[in-house]
């Protein structure tokens, strides 16, 4: 089997006396969709925050493509190709959809070295083309010129995904991407996630079990900070420890 894209080894995060993530060893292979599920407070978001550099692990390691990333800054982690699509709004509301995505594509391609500076002008028009392609992919080309603030809720969520895609991530972390959406928008978002997973690795935190079971190739289940099960949707749906965790009995 090929090396995992992301691997944690006994990673632990404590906040004072509270252990939010406890001794979690998990491998995410390259490609496809993996989901992290678990009851409220299980430690899912904290695990994402460790992956993105928002928090440093208290103990243990996190490797991306075989290199330690635990404790790196968010900026360094993004530059390695790990990007998070936020559940909270993460765009400039007065700028248009296109401008928001274009800023993200520019940030991805414009470095700070002298060569980058010389390439800057040419890269701006490329960034504009790329931004349009990203907007098309997330279904927002027809509202490209509307300000982000004027987009409907589901469109704003897709804009956030577009901003993440604009940096061409290898690993896209998505935190409840369908939260608050109606059935039609949910279906559109699920199709988009499946499309993204054709050429990037996607890890989802998702509470909607129908989506999780339909879309995931593999699922990791957390409860009270611990990883209690890993497996395919069929394996997880039959796992007794998982059923107990969801019934609140463990
Ligand atoms: N910055 C922080 N400081 C202190 N405690 C925190 C912090 N972040 C998370 N926690 C605590 O860590 C535990 C795990 O929280 P986390 O948000 O990771 O769970 P979750 O599985 O994402 O839950 P939910 O599904 O409700 O979002 C909770 O008890 C939470 O209160």
């Amino acid at each position: 089997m090929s090396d995992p894209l992301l691997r944690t080894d006994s990673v632990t995060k404590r906040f004072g006396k509270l252990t939010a993530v406890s001794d979690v060893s998990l491998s995410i292979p390259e490609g496809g969709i993996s989901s992290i599920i678990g009851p409220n407070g299980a430690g899912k978001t904290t695990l994402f925050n460790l992956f993105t550099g928002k928090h440093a692990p208290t103990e243990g390691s996190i490797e991306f493509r075989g290199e330690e990333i635990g404790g790196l800054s968010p900026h360094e982690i993004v530059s390695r190709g790990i990007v998070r699509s936020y559940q909270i709004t993460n765009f400039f509301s007065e700028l248009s959809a296109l401008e928001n995505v274009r800023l993200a594509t520019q940030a991805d391609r414009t470095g700070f070295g002298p060569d980058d500076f010389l390439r800057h002008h040419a890269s701006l028009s490329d960034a504009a083309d790329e931004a349009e392609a990203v907007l098309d992919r997330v279904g927002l080309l027809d509202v490209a010129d509307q300000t982000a603030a004027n987009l409907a809720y589901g469109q704003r969520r897709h804009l956030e995904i577009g901003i993440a895609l604009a940096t061409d991530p290898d690993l896209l972390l998505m935190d409840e991407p369908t939260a608050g959406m109606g059935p039609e928008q949910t279906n559109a978002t699920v199709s988009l996630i499946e499309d993204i997973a054709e050429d990037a690795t996607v890890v989802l935190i998702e509470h909607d079990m129908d989506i999780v079971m339909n879309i995931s190739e593999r699922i990791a289940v957390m409860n009270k900070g611990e990883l209690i099960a890993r497996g395919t949707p069929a394996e997880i749906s039959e796992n007794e420890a998982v059923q107990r965790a969801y019934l609140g009995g463990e």
Side-chain angles (χ1 to χ4, degrees):
M1 228 180 100
S2 59
D3 290 339
L5 182 67
L6 184 76
R7 184 161 67 133
T8 71
D9 187 16
S10 299
V11 81
T12 293
K13 178 64 189 177
R14 281 191 275 274
F15 297 107
K17 286 187 180 153
L18 180 102
T19 304
V21 169
S22 178
D23 200 20
V24 169
S25 297
L26 176 68
S27 289
I28 308 275
E30 185 148 23
I33 302 172
S34 301
S35 294
I36 301 174
I37 65 170
N40 290 337
K44 307 178 295 293
T45 305
T46 303
L47 195 60
F48 262 24
N49 287 338
L50 292 168
F51 295 162
T52 59
K54 183 170 181 192
H55 300 315
T58 311
E59 284 163 26
S61 77
I62 306 170
E63 289 183 358
F64 182 67
R65 296 198 187 284
E67 289 179 17
E68 181 64 37
I69 59 160
L72 293 185
S73 72
H75 175 73
E76 284 171 304
I77 287 178
V78 168
S79 72
R80 304 243 178 153
I82 302 177
V83 174
R84 177 176 186 164
S85 175
Y86 283 86
Q87 189 184 352
I88 46 165
T89 50
N90 188 40
F91 47 71
F92 296 100
S93 50
E94 297 312 314
L95 296 183
S96 71
L98 184 67
E99 286 163 337
N100 267 287
V101 174
R102 192 160 53 198
L103 276 179
T105 51
Q106 275 170 228
D108 184 43
R109 45 177 55 242
T110 314
F112 296 102
D115 292 347
D116 297 319
F117 191 73
L118 290 173
R119 280 203 301 271
H120 185 71
H121 188 70
S123 76
L124 283 185
S125 62
D126 289 351
D129 291 347
E130 253 178 63
E132 284 196 1
V134 168
L135 276 188
D136 193 21
R137 197 169 177 201
V138 299
L140 296 179
L141 200 49
D142 56 341
V143 291
D145 296 328
Q146 284 193 31
T147 58
N150 282 333
L151 297 177
Y153 174 77
Q155 292 174 324
R156 290 203 299 267
R157 301 297 314 265
H158 276 214
L159 178 60
E160 286 158 11
I161 296 172
I163 288 169
L165 286 181
T167 62
D168 198 17
D170 293 335
L171 175 60
L172 180 61
L173 306 171
M174 305 180 90
D175 196 341
E176 296 194 56
T178 67
M181 290 181 180
E184 207 173 304
Q185 185 70 49
T186 295
N187 287 339
T189 303
V190 166
S191 301
L192 174 61
I193 295 167
E194 287 175 321
D195 173 63
I196 293 167
E198 297 282 319
D199 48 35
T201 305
V202 176
V203 179
L204 293 180
I205 292 177
E206 181 56 68
H207 283 286
D208 184 322
M209 279 308 139
D210 288 341
I211 293 176
V212 168
M213 292 298 165
N214 279 325
I215 204 175
S216 318
E217 274 142 60
R218 51 202 92 74
I219 299 172
V221 189
M222 293 186 69
N223 188 35
K224 298 179 182 170
E226 294 178 1
L227 181 67
I228 61 164
R230 282 181 292 172
T232 63
E235 288 164 348
I236 293 302
S237 57
E238 285 172 5
N239 184 299
E240 285 181 15
V242 174
Q243 287 165 6
R244 280 199 302 276
Y246 273 92
L247 292 172
E250 196 179 67

